Structures are given as structure tokens and as C-alpha cells.
Amino acid sequence: MNLPNKLTVFRIILIPVFMLLLSLPLDWGTLTFAGATLPVTHLIGAIIFIGASLTDLADGKIARKYHLVTNFGKFADPLADKLLVMTALIYFVALGWVPAWMVAIIVIRELAITGLRTLIVENNGKVMAAAMPGKIKTMSQMISISFFLLHDMIFAAFNVPFAMIMMWIALIATIYSGIDYFYKDREVFSDGFK
């Protein structure tokens, strides 16, 4: 269990903590800061989410730099990322912050790309690397989720719905990157059209 894998496992452990924080009827008061009023539980949730997101950035860089890439890491790292993001988005639907159709598109894309990655590994033995549109999708999702939890801190003072703007950017990047991945790897399906 090397350091990148430990960070991935730590991120997976944070997911149920994050879930409980958002779902239990905890009343730890509210804070007003930088134009936003938010429950303390949402602030703690934001700290957990941002901390987990930073470990996502760190574990991949450490694994590549020190040649610590493992099959467990290849499997668990993207899974942990998806589980964390999907957990937050599903709770946001329940809270009425994000429309269900938006989250459905994001979930469908993630499932489709996971299936595509599996086919590529089975057929070519290679791992599909993350392309720039996918990285933009991930970054915009993480920024959006963080600012939803922070109730648009800073931007709320100017009545700018920054979290929702970033969610729209994430949605566009989600759709574009999904199409891009399938187009670039379309040869995987060539046997079905002979």
C-alpha cells in the first residue's frame, strides 16, 4: 500500500463521512462570511470535499512521478473521484440546488465512459488517458460543488450564482468530453458494424 493508494483509500473513507454530514439533521449553527450565510455542516462538508479533491490531484502526480502506478490505483482512483462527485450531486438534487436532469446526464456520461474504458483495456490492453476536455469537466465539477457547499461565498455578495454557472460549464464539458472520447475510440465498436 504505497502513498498514492493510501490517499485514494483515505478519499474513499471520506465519502460516507461526507454523506452523513449532509444527510443527518445536525444543527451546528450558521456562519455569515464573505456575503454568504451557510450552515456549519455545509462549511465542514466543503472542507471535506475540497480536501478529498486535493488528494485526487496529489495521488496521481505522486504515482506518476515516483513510478508507483498500480492496478489498484488505476481502478480505485477514478472510482473514488466519481463516487465523491456523484454523492454530492445526488444530495444537491435532494436539496433542490441542481436539476435532476443535469445530474442524470453527468451520471450517464460517467457510466458510458467507464464502459468504454473497460472495452479499450480488454481489446487493446491500454488504459484510456484523461484528455483535456475530461480534465476541464472534472475541475469545473469540483469547483461547482465546492461553491454550492459554500453557498456562493464571495459571489453571493454580488448576487452572482457562481456555483450554478460552473455547473453549466461542467455539464457542457461533460457532454463534449463524452462525445470526444467515443469519437476518438470509435474503432473499439468496429466489429459491431461489419
Side-chain angles (χ1 to χ4, degrees), residues 60-104:
K61 286 186 178 182
I62 294 167
R64 287 185 295 276
K65 183 175 181 179
Y66 296 103
H67 308 289
L68 299 172
V69 176
T70 63
N71 285 333
F72 174 80
K74 289 179 190 175
F75 167 76
D77 181 54
L79 179 66
D81 170 44
K82 288 172 181 37
L83 290 175
L84 182 66
V85 168
M86 295 306 128
T87 298
L89 293 179
I90 290 166
Y91 275 102
F92 292 176
V93 170
L95 292 168
W97 293 354
V98 179
W101 65 266
M102 267 186 159
V103 175

Side-chain angles (χ1 to χ4, degrees), residues 19-36:
M19 285 172 56
L20 289 171
L21 194 64
L22 293 181
S23 59
L24 291 176
L26 303 171
D27 186 5
W28 295 340
T30 58
L31 292 173
T32 301
F33 181 74

